[in-house]
Amino acid sequence: MERTQLASTVKQLRKEYGLTQEDLAMKSGVGLCFVRNLEQGKATLRMDKVNQLLDLFNYELTPMRKV
């Protein structure tokens, strides 16, 4: 999944669940700055933190071979 796709997916899921960025940070156990950077598509994200956040929505980011 590309960064921009991940960013838009997280933002869409957050809005579908009626969460603010602050709510998402608190419920997933990551920092607010991390949520903001993720939704902006920043390149310096840790995969374990991304999965910690995605777990709230029952999603998981996994490595994939490029085609």
Side-chain angles (χ1 to χ4, degrees), residues 43-56:
T44 58
L45 298 174
R46 290 179 31 194
M47 193 167 173
D48 62 326
K49 291 284 190 183
V50 172
N51 279 325
Q52 182 178 340
L53 183 142
L54 288 175
D55 188 55
L56 185 65

Side-chain angles (χ1 to χ4, degrees), residues 6-67:
L6 175 62
S8 62
T9 298
V10 168
K11 189 172 188 175
Q12 176 186 345
L13 287 167
R14 177 178 61 77
K15 289 184 176 191
E16 283 178 19
Y17 280 75
L19 300 171
T20 64
Q21 288 181 333
E22 293 85 0
D23 293 335
L24 180 55
M26 187 179 349
K27 288 180 182 287
S28 64
V30 300
L32 177 57
C33 186
F34 180 85
V35 173
R36 288 181 176 155
N37 288 341
L38 176 60
E39 287 192 2
Q40 292 174 6
K42 302 280 179 160
T44 58
L45 298 174
R46 290 179 31 194
M47 193 167 173
D48 62 326
K49 291 284 190 183
V50 172
N51 279 325
Q52 182 178 340
L53 183 142
L54 288 175
D55 188 55
L56 185 65
F57 304 113
N58 202 31
Y59 277 74
E60 181 180 53
L61 183 66
T62 58
M64 293 179 54
R65 186 178 304 265
K66 290 183 179 182
V67 275

